Amino acid sequence: MDKVSDRASEDNVSTTSAATEPSIAVYYDGGCPMCAKEIAHYRKLDTAGRVQWVDIAGPNPSCPIGYNQPTLLARFHVKELATDRMLDGAAGFVRLWQAMPTPWRQLGAIASFAPVTWVLELGYRITLKVRPLMTRYLFKRS
């Protein structure tokens, strides 16, 4: 069994449902109000339990082999549990969308085409640069 799956009982790792084995693990910054709000939206959509949600903001996060907390906090990361393949940035979001129900799954199929992923990555990089301002003014901590 995968090391991330072995840690599913830890506080910062959870799945939405036990009905299905998760196919991906999403590593997110639970300390970022904008990120937490977005992840909360995706968690509600994941009624089939296809995603393992890993909050890497707290102390002693469950980091995949070869990754550390600062690296995971710097960009959005998704791990395919069957292959251990890591995806980040727009490619990570595309993989997350593919695990979500319709219409997100169809969006993921369209976004998986290289030119679309490339444009999404440009948008993602811009978002990373303005995220501190967006978080400060648009997403207040609750």
Side-chain angles (χ1 to χ4, degrees), residues 54-72:
V54 185
D55 182 354
I56 45 92
N60 304 314
S62 295
C63 298
I65 294 171
Y67 289 81
N68 58 30
Q69 187 179 34
T71 300
L72 294 173

PDB file of all heavy atoms in Angstrom, residues 54-72:
ATOM      1  N   VAL A  54      -4.758  16.303   1.656  1.00  0.00           N
ATOM      2  CA  VAL A  54      -3.637  16.389   2.590  1.00  0.00           C
ATOM      3  C   VAL A  54      -3.296  17.856   2.831  1.00  0.00           C
ATOM      4  O   VAL A  54      -2.768  18.532   1.954  1.00  0.00           O
ATOM      5  CB  VAL A  54      -2.391  15.642   2.041  1.00  0.00           C
ATOM      6  CG1 VAL A  54      -1.279  15.646   3.083  1.00  0.00           C
ATOM      7  CG2 VAL A  54      -2.741  14.230   1.602  1.00  0.00           C
ATOM      8  N   ASP A  55      -3.624  18.338   4.035  1.00  0.00           N
ATOM      9  CA  ASP A  55      -3.286  19.704   4.428  1.00  0.00           C
ATOM     10  C   ASP A  55      -1.828  19.708   4.869  1.00  0.00           C
ATOM     11  O   ASP A  55      -1.481  19.106   5.877  1.00  0.00           O
ATOM     12  CB  ASP A  55      -4.201  20.145   5.566  1.00  0.00           C
ATOM     13  CG  ASP A  55      -3.932  21.582   5.993  1.00  0.00           C
ATOM     14  OD1 ASP A  55      -2.978  22.220   5.504  1.00  0.00           O
ATOM     15  OD2 ASP A  55      -4.690  22.065   6.843  1.00  0.00           O
ATOM     16  N   ILE A  56      -1.001  20.396   4.121  1.00  0.00           N
ATOM     17  CA  ILE A  56       0.438  20.389   4.404  1.00  0.00           C
ATOM     18  C   ILE A  56       0.894  21.662   5.109  1.00  0.00           C
ATOM     19  O   ILE A  56       2.089  21.893   5.251  1.00  0.00           O
ATOM     20  CB  ILE A  56       1.262  20.130   3.113  1.00  0.00           C
ATOM     21  CG1 ILE A  56       0.789  20.951   1.915  1.00  0.00           C
ATOM     22  CG2 ILE A  56       1.201  18.685   2.729  1.00  0.00           C
ATOM     23  CD1 ILE A  56       1.478  22.212   1.776  1.00  0.00           C
ATOM     24  N   ALA A  57      -0.068  22.455   5.611  1.00  0.00           N
ATOM     25  CA  ALA A  57       0.291  23.728   6.248  1.00  0.00           C
ATOM     26  C   ALA A  57       0.741  23.568   7.692  1.00  0.00           C
ATOM     27  O   ALA A  57       1.512  24.381   8.184  1.00  0.00           O
ATOM     28  CB  ALA A  57      -0.881  24.697   6.187  1.00  0.00           C
ATOM     29  N   GLY A  58       0.272  22.568   8.378  1.00  0.00           N
ATOM     30  CA  GLY A  58       0.561  22.430   9.803  1.00  0.00           C
ATOM     31  C   GLY A  58       1.910  21.797  10.084  1.00  0.00           C
ATOM     32  O   GLY A  58       2.681  21.488   9.171  1.00  0.00           O
ATOM     33  N   PRO A  59       2.186  21.567  11.356  1.00  0.00           N
ATOM     34  CA  PRO A  59       3.446  20.916  11.724  1.00  0.00           C
ATOM     35  C   PRO A  59       3.419  19.436  11.330  1.00  0.00           C
ATOM     36  O   PRO A  59       2.370  18.803  11.340  1.00  0.00           O
ATOM     37  CB  PRO A  59       3.505  21.080  13.247  1.00  0.00           C
ATOM     38  CG  PRO A  59       2.086  21.263  13.666  1.00  0.00           C
ATOM     39  CD  PRO A  59       1.383  21.936  12.517  1.00  0.00           C
ATOM     40  N   ASN A  60       4.557  18.915  10.949  1.00  0.00           N
ATOM     41  CA  ASN A  60       4.715  17.499  10.582  1.00  0.00           C
ATOM     42  C   ASN A  60       3.746  17.028   9.507  1.00  0.00           C
ATOM     43  O   ASN A  60       3.016  16.059   9.697  1.00  0.00           O
ATOM     44  CB  ASN A  60       4.581  16.609  11.828  1.00  0.00           C
ATOM     45  CG  ASN A  60       5.550  17.005  12.906  1.00  0.00           C
ATOM     46  OD1 ASN A  60       6.723  17.226  12.647  1.00  0.00           O
ATOM     47  ND2 ASN A  60       5.050  17.111  14.124  1.00  0.00           N
ATOM     48  N   PRO A  61       3.704  17.704   8.351  1.00  0.00           N
ATOM     49  CA  PRO A  61       2.774  17.275   7.307  1.00  0.00           C
ATOM     50  C   PRO A  61       3.214  15.952   6.675  1.00  0.00           C
ATOM     51  O   PRO A  61       4.371  15.574   6.735  1.00  0.00           O
ATOM     52  CB  PRO A  61       2.849  18.409   6.294  1.00  0.00           C
ATOM     53  CG  PRO A  61       4.221  18.953   6.454  1.00  0.00           C
ATOM     54  CD  PRO A  61       4.525  18.827   7.936  1.00  0.00           C
ATOM     55  N   SER A  62       2.270  15.274   6.064  1.00  0.00           N
ATOM     56  CA  SER A  62       2.547  14.021   5.345  1.00  0.00           C
ATOM     57  C   SER A  62       3.020  14.367   3.938  1.00  0.00           C
ATOM     58  O   SER A  62       2.216  14.526   3.026  1.00  0.00           O
ATOM     59  CB  SER A  62       1.281  13.166   5.273  1.00  0.00           C
ATOM     60  OG  SER A  62       0.887  12.768   6.543  1.00  0.00           O
ATOM     61  N   CYS A  63       4.314  14.493   3.771  1.00  0.00           N
ATOM     62  CA  CYS A  63       4.900  14.841   2.479  1.00  0.00           C
ATOM     63  C   CYS A  63       5.298  13.571   1.736  1.00  0.00           C
ATOM     64  O   CYS A  63       5.843  12.648   2.347  1.00  0.00           O
ATOM     65  CB  CYS A  63       6.130  15.723   2.655  1.00  0.00           C
ATOM     66  SG  CYS A  63       5.792  17.305   3.436  1.00  0.00           S
ATOM     67  N   PRO A  64       5.045  13.525   0.424  1.00  0.00           N
ATOM     68  CA  PRO A  64       5.507  12.366  -0.341  1.00  0.00           C
ATOM     69  C   PRO A  64       7.033  12.322  -0.393  1.00  0.00           C
ATOM     70  O   PRO A  64       7.699  13.353  -0.235  1.00  0.00           O
ATOM     71  CB  PRO A  64       4.911  12.572  -1.723  1.00  0.00           C
ATOM     72  CG  PRO A  64       4.508  13.994  -1.788  1.00  0.00           C
ATOM     73  CD  PRO A  64       4.366  14.502  -0.395  1.00  0.00           C
ATOM     74  N   ILE A  65       7.559  11.156  -0.630  1.00  0.00           N
ATOM     75  CA  ILE A  65       9.012  10.980  -0.714  1.00  0.00           C
ATOM     76  C   ILE A  65       9.573  11.910  -1.788  1.00  0.00           C
ATOM     77  O   ILE A  65       9.053  11.986  -2.896  1.00  0.00           O
ATOM     78  CB  ILE A  65       9.361   9.514  -1.013  1.00  0.00           C
ATOM     79  CG1 ILE A  65       8.942   8.648   0.178  1.00  0.00           C
ATOM     80  CG2 ILE A  65      10.851   9.342  -1.313  1.00  0.00           C
ATOM     81  CD1 ILE A  65       9.044   7.153  -0.076  1.00  0.00           C
ATOM     82  N   GLY A  66      10.631  12.622  -1.436  1.00  0.00           N
ATOM     83  CA  GLY A  66      11.275  13.536  -2.373  1.00  0.00           C
ATOM     84  C   GLY A  66      10.734  14.959  -2.319  1.00  0.00           C
ATOM     85  O   GLY A  66      11.209  15.821  -3.040  1.00  0.00           O
ATOM     86  N   TYR A  67       9.746  15.204  -1.478  1.00  0.00           N
ATOM     87  CA  TYR A  67       9.142  16.532  -1.359  1.00  0.00           C
ATOM     88  C   TYR A  67       9.182  16.970   0.095  1.00  0.00           C
ATOM     89  O   TYR A  67       9.102  16.154   0.995  1.00  0.00           O
ATOM     90  CB  TYR A  67       7.691  16.526  -1.857  1.00  0.00           C
ATOM     91  CG  TYR A  67       7.592  16.374  -3.354  1.00  0.00           C
ATOM     92  CD1 TYR A  67       7.686  15.121  -3.945  1.00  0.00           C
ATOM     93  CD2 TYR A  67       7.434  17.476  -4.177  1.00  0.00           C
ATOM     94  CE1 TYR A  67       7.620  14.968  -5.319  1.00  0.00           C
ATOM     95  CE2 TYR A  67       7.364  17.338  -5.553  1.00  0.00           C
ATOM     96  CZ  TYR A  67       7.456  16.086  -6.115  1.00  0.00           C
ATOM     97  OH  TYR A  67       7.398  15.944  -7.472  1.00  0.00           O
ATOM     98  N   ASN A  68       9.285  18.290   0.281  1.00  0.00           N
ATOM     99  CA  ASN A  68       9.232  18.819   1.636  1.00  0.00           C
ATOM    100  C   ASN A  68       8.120  19.863   1.712  1.00  0.00           C
ATOM    101  O   ASN A  68       7.532  20.245   0.698  1.00  0.00           O
ATOM    102  CB  ASN A  68      10.580  19.398   2.057  1.00  0.00           C
ATOM    103  CG  ASN A  68      11.057  20.501   1.138  1.00  0.00           C
ATOM    104  OD1 ASN A  68      10.270  21.238   0.544  1.00  0.00           O
ATOM    105  ND2 ASN A  68      12.362  20.644   1.011  1.00  0.00           N
ATOM    106  N   GLN A  69       7.843  20.321   2.909  1.00  0.00           N
ATOM    107  CA  GLN A  69       6.741  21.253   3.116  1.00  0.00           C
ATOM    108  C   GLN A  69       6.896  22.541   2.308  1.00  0.00           C
ATOM    109  O   GLN A  69       5.941  22.962   1.645  1.00  0.00           O
ATOM    110  CB  GLN A  69       6.588  21.549   4.607  1.00  0.00           C
ATOM    111  CG  GLN A  69       5.356  22.374   4.919  1.00  0.00           C
ATOM    112  CD  GLN A  69       5.208  22.646   6.398  1.00  0.00           C
ATOM    113  OE1 GLN A  69       6.197  22.806   7.117  1.00  0.00           O
ATOM    114  NE2 GLN A  69       3.971  22.682   6.861  1.00  0.00           N
ATOM    115  N   PRO A  70       8.065  23.210   2.312  1.00  0.00           N
ATOM    116  CA  PRO A  70       8.174  24.447   1.524  1.00  0.00           C
ATOM    117  C   PRO A  70       7.900  24.231   0.033  1.00  0.00           C
ATOM    118  O   PRO A  70       7.267  25.069  -0.612  1.00  0.00           O
ATOM    119  CB  PRO A  70       9.615  24.907   1.771  1.00  0.00           C
ATOM    120  CG  PRO A  70       9.984  24.312   3.088  1.00  0.00           C
ATOM    121  CD  PRO A  70       9.270  22.986   3.140  1.00  0.00           C
ATOM    122  N   THR A  71       8.356  23.120  -0.517  1.00  0.00           N
ATOM    123  CA  THR A  71       8.113  22.830  -1.932  1.00  0.00           C
ATOM    124  C   THR A  71       6.625  22.652  -2.194  1.00  0.00           C
ATOM    125  O   THR A  71       6.077  23.181  -3.165  1.00  0.00           O
ATOM    126  CB  THR A  71       8.878  21.562  -2.360  1.00  0.00           C
ATOM    127  OG1 THR A  71      10.271  21.784  -2.157  1.00  0.00           O
ATOM    128  CG2 THR A  71       8.619  21.211  -3.810  1.00  0.00           C
ATOM    129  N   LEU A  72       5.961  21.899  -1.320  1.00  0.00           N
ATOM    130  CA  LEU A  72       4.533  21.659  -1.495  1.00  0.00           C
ATOM    131  C   LEU A  72       3.702  22.918  -1.275  1.00  0.00           C
ATOM    132  O   LEU A  72       2.660  23.100  -1.909  1.00  0.00           O
ATOM    133  CB  LEU A  72       4.063  20.544  -0.561  1.00  0.00           C
ATOM    134  CG  LEU A  72       4.633  19.150  -0.866  1.00  0.00           C
ATOM    135  CD1 LEU A  72       4.239  18.169   0.223  1.00  0.00           C
ATOM    136  CD2 LEU A  72       4.182  18.658  -2.227  1.00  0.00           C
TER     137      LEU A  72
END
